[in-house]
Amino acid sequence: MTAKASSDGLMEEIVGLCKRRGFIFPSSEIYGGYNGFYDYGPLGVELRNNIKQAWWRDMVQRRDDIEGLDSTIIMHPDIWKASGHVDGFSDPMVDCRESKLRYRADQLFFAPVIVAGETIGYVSVVECPEQQEIAEKAAADIKRKAAKQGTLEPIVLKDYTESKPEEYDLVPSPATGKPGSLTAPREFKLMFETKVGPLADESAVAYLRPETAQGIFANYKNIVDTGRVKIPFGIAQIGKAFRNEITPRNFIFRSREFEQMEIEYFISPSADWKTLHREWIDTCIDWLVSIGLPREDISEDIHPEDKLAFYSRATTDLMFQFPHGEQELWGVACRGDYDLMQHQKHSGKSMTIFDEASKEKFVPHVIEPSLGVDRTLLAVLTAAYTQDEVPNDKGVAEKRLVLKFSPKIAPVKAAIFPLLKNKPELVERAQALYKKLQRRWNVFYDASGAIGRRYRRQDEIGTPFGITIDFDTIEKDGTVTLRDRDTCEQRRVTEDELIQFLEEQIDG
Ligand code: GAP
């Protein structure tokens, strides 16, 4: 029997497991934590690196049309003027004057409570999967308290960016439950500022990049001039990005310091961009499935044409079933030539490319698949987190917690156990195998406790394979026992078979 924890409790359980087993810690925890920042512990950093390596291998090294890049986090401030971030990269916020809490206006929902055609109050709720239910319950309470007879009209929630000035004083603050303390929505700049150089004036202002993409656009000419790229081609980058999010939340889903894996894929302005966009969406879905996300938990959110940014031709977000609901994981946008044109205008450098195939010169258009490392890690943890029942050493069914990571990204690939720790011949043989495997993969050696308990410890951190050295290994044919984490099935294999199997499963 296999079960996921209820979606309510699942996030809490994942956060707890991550802390307990050394995947993820709140940043600066000894000082009480720091909202929106997280540190990755020994297992977290392995998982994170494996995700990035898998992406780099599949998107860059195994493709002929994509080149890699690693640009700086702090770049010339004019880049952010050209890209539009200095003027436009902001989120609408609303403050509660009484509680001093700040909300993202597009995540704060409100509705009038109308009974028999008369508005008798307002309800508000912070965005969550149960928001409609919560709002309806609050509306029924208002009606009851007002002792108002008549039919309660359906509660139609709108986000606070759609509020009218006359409603600001009527909508209750979610913090206090009382109206009168919410401000009008205001734009809040998301870029972190810093100062570069000895001057402390405005001329020294620089920004921590809020996306890696602009580093790609700023280097596009270098790669065209020095590489052997031809249209269509892509430039890929993995790196840190920083956003002063108003409401960082849901663990590592929305944080203030995170990492992105982005590609700018440059195409001819006359290319069939709709087909290429579709191909990229499919490539992205296939990749997510290849690292272990269930296909049925991934869906597409196509942005309606009237909601697109003026420079965007189309955007499809790949959505994933996170513990807190279905949310964006990977954005695949067709950005036209907006960014390159802006940089051409602001830098004065030509962004045209000569296309040998068509003998034409043009500024290419781009398709941009943009994925967060941390969000992918949360998706992977969500998909892997499983509670099931398996027989213990005595054959009695026992509950277990298991992370069913794909062997490709699992932090520890295999655990090596001598059956008994007080038998030097078993220990020696197990150590020798451990040292051999350690040269290729991140493996773990464990000699302490009953074998069943050792298996459980590895199940909980998602180690896909358990290898036990027993008396048959040293006295008979040299075979070892190979245990599969998910099925708990065991079989005997020779060392050569073991290595070939691990190669196929981990590196394949
Ligand atoms: N260059 C395009 C761009 O940055 P975005 O939709 O703002 O687009 C792309 O971000 C991806 O980066 C998102 O789909 C998400 O996976 C990740 N991401 C964005 N903001 C994030 C945050 N505050 N915390 C964690 N991941 C974030």
Side-chain angles (χ1 to χ4, degrees):
M1 188 196 76
T2 299
K4 290 267 172 215
S6 78
S7 51
D8 269 359
L10 181 57
M11 186 68 105
E12 273 168 39
E13 289 186 25
I14 289 176
V15 174
L17 176 71
C18 283
K19 173 90 198 327
R20 194 169 71 244
R21 298 308 309 264
F23 282 89
I24 303 170
F25 310 117
S27 166
S28 322
E29 205 182 3
I30 55 169
Y31 291 94
Y34 204 39
N35 198 8
F37 296 90
Y38 290 91
D39 295 337
Y40 286 81
L43 292 172
V45 71
E46 291 294 333
L47 182 58
R48 192 181 171 79
N49 285 343
N50 292 345
I51 290 171
K52 290 193 281 182
Q53 276 161 15
W55 187 87
W56 193 259
R57 190 195 57 214
D58 295 337
M59 298 295 168
V60 182
Q61 295 171 337
R62 288 186 181 171
R63 292 184 65 127
D64 296 329
D65 57 346
I66 302 202
E67 301 284 328
L69 175 76
D70 189 4
S71 68
T72 57
I73 286 171
I74 297 178
M75 301 190 286
H76 196 295
D78 284 355
I79 286 180
W80 304 109
K81 291 197 186 107
S83 68
H85 283 81
V86 169
D87 293 327
F89 193 54
S90 54
D91 272 340
M93 63 164 191
V94 50
D95 284 314
C96 167
R97 283 182 291 253
E98 210 169 309
S99 67
K100 309 286 176 230
L101 285 178
R102 177 165 281 180
Y103 303 92
R104 246 175 75 171
D106 58 346
Q107 292 174 346
L108 175 57
F109 286 81
F110 75 100
V113 179
I114 306 169
V115 177
E118 187 192 337
T119 299
I120 60 165
Y122 277 79
V123 289
S124 70
V125 55
V126 178
E127 186 182 38
C128 66
E130 304 81 26
Q131 61 188 35
Q132 186 65 31
E133 227 176 296
I134 296 171
E136 282 169 11
K137 198 166 160 295
D141 281 352
I142 290 177
K143 178 176 181 256
R144 200 179 46 253
K145 280 187 193 140
K148 186 82 187 162
Q149 296 301 311
T151 313
L152 175 63
E153 289 187 16
I155 297 298
V156 183
L157 289 170
K158 289 193 288 190
D159 79 54
Y160 199 73
T161 58
E162 295 180 69
S163 59
K164 299 192 192 87
E166 59 272 24
E167 288 175 317
Y168 301 156
D169 280 340
L170 303 175
V171 178
S173 157
T176 62
K178 286 183 269 166
S181 65
L182 291 181
T183 63
R186 285 177 292 163
E187 287 304 313
F188 176 78
K189 291 205 181 299
L190 295 177
M191 277 205 295
F192 280 107
E193 278 187 20
T194 185
K195 298 250 163 92
V196 172
L199 296 176
D201 62 12
E202 275 305 294
S203 70
V205 170
Y207 306 95
L208 302 191
R209 68 181 176 200
E211 60 171 22
T212 64
Q214 295 307 320
I216 298 180
F217 292 121
N219 277 284
Y220 149 87
K221 255 291 165 186
N222 283 333
I223 290 175
V224 168
D225 293 344
T226 55
R228 290 187 303 151
V229 293
K230 55 180 198 302
I231 291 281
F233 73 95
I235 304 177
Q237 168 154 243
I238 300 180
K240 287 272 186 176
F242 303 81
R243 296 183 189 177
N244 194 6
E245 298 282 359
I246 301 170
T247 49
R249 57 186 176 148
N250 294 316
F251 197 29
I252 52 171
F253 178 82
R254 187 183 307 286
S255 46
R256 289 179 167 142
E257 174 175 340
F258 56 100
E259 211 164 356
Q260 288 185 315
M261 306 188 276
E262 295 200 289
I263 295 171
E264 300 302 330
Y265 195 72
F266 299 95
I267 61 172
S268 160
S270 57
D272 175 4
W273 62 271
K274 283 191 179 159
T275 303
L276 289 166
H277 188 216
R278 185 66 245 171
E279 282 173 11
W280 266 110
I281 295 165
D282 292 337
T283 300
C284 296
I285 295 175
D286 289 349
W287 188 79
L288 292 174
V289 173
S290 81
I291 59 159
L293 299 193
R295 178 64 187 88
E296 62 275 17
D297 288 348
I298 304 166
S299 61
E300 294 175 30
D301 177 26
I302 301 168
H303 292 205
E305 269 180 40
D306 59 333
K307 293 262 162 69
L308 290 173
F310 66 93
Y311 50 81
S312 178
R313 286 165 150 185
T315 295
T316 297
D317 288 336
L318 295 183
M319 312 291 281
F320 182 75
Q321 203 62 52
F322 286 97
H324 57 289
E326 193 177 64
Q327 297 279 334
E328 175 190 338
L329 172 58
W330 200 334
V332 190
C334 295
R335 293 178 67 99
D337 59 5
Y338 172 77
D339 300 270
L340 286 182
M341 283 300 206
Q342 283 295 101
H343 289 302
Q344 178 166 281
K345 189 167 131 203
H346 285 252
S347 70
K349 304 280 184 313
S350 165
M351 295 290 159
T352 53
I353 186 169
F354 179 69
D355 179 27
E356 281 291 346
S358 64
K359 305 285 179 218
E360 280 172 350
K361 255 178 114 181
F362 50 73
V363 174
H365 287 206
V366 291
I367 295 174
E368 180 196 65
S370 174
L371 173 65
V373 175
D374 313 78
R375 230 172 248 195
T376 308
L377 200 140
L378 181 59
V380 160
L381 279 167
T382 308
Y385 192 97
T386 312
Q387 286 167 333
D388 63 6
E389 275 184 12
V390 292
N392 65 13
D393 294 344
K394 297 183 187 84
V396 181
E398 206 176 63
K399 280 195 174 23
R400 80 166 172 168
L401 180 56
V402 52
L403 289 179
K404 293 190 172 177
F405 292 134
S406 153
K408 285 186 192 143
I409 56 158
V412 179
K413 306 300 186 190
I416 297 100
F417 314 116
L419 186 61
L420 300 169
K421 71 172 175 193
N422 54 1
K423 295 283 175 208
E425 60 278 33
L426 292 180
V427 169
E428 205 177 296
R429 191 68 172 256
Q431 277 282 347
L433 181 62
Y434 167 61
K435 291 281 170 210
K436 186 169 181 180
L437 297 181
Q438 196 182 35
R439 294 177 71 86
R440 298 189 56 178
W441 299 293
N442 189 40
V443 291
F444 189 77
Y445 177 83
D446 187 4
S448 60
I451 195 79
R453 290 199 47 182
R454 284 185 260 169
Y455 285 150
R456 291 296 170 280
R457 285 202 289 263
Q458 293 303 315
D459 290 344
E460 215 185 58
I461 61 166
T463 307
F465 308 111
I467 302 159
T468 307
I469 311 295
D470 57 19
F471 290 105
D472 280 0
T473 317
I474 45 177
E475 289 167 7
K476 282 194 184 162
D477 50 8
T479 58
V480 298
T481 305
L482 174 63
R483 174 194 181 259
D484 180 278
R485 174 198 62 203
D486 299 348
T487 61
C488 297
E489 275 168 20
Q490 303 189 12
R491 62 191 170 103
R492 295 203 74 91
V493 290
T494 64
E495 213 175 273
D496 285 350
E497 285 167 345
L498 172 72
I499 293 190
Q500 192 189 344
F501 174 79
L502 292 179
E503 267 170 10
E504 284 163 12
Q505 296 290 314
I506 300 165
D507 308 329

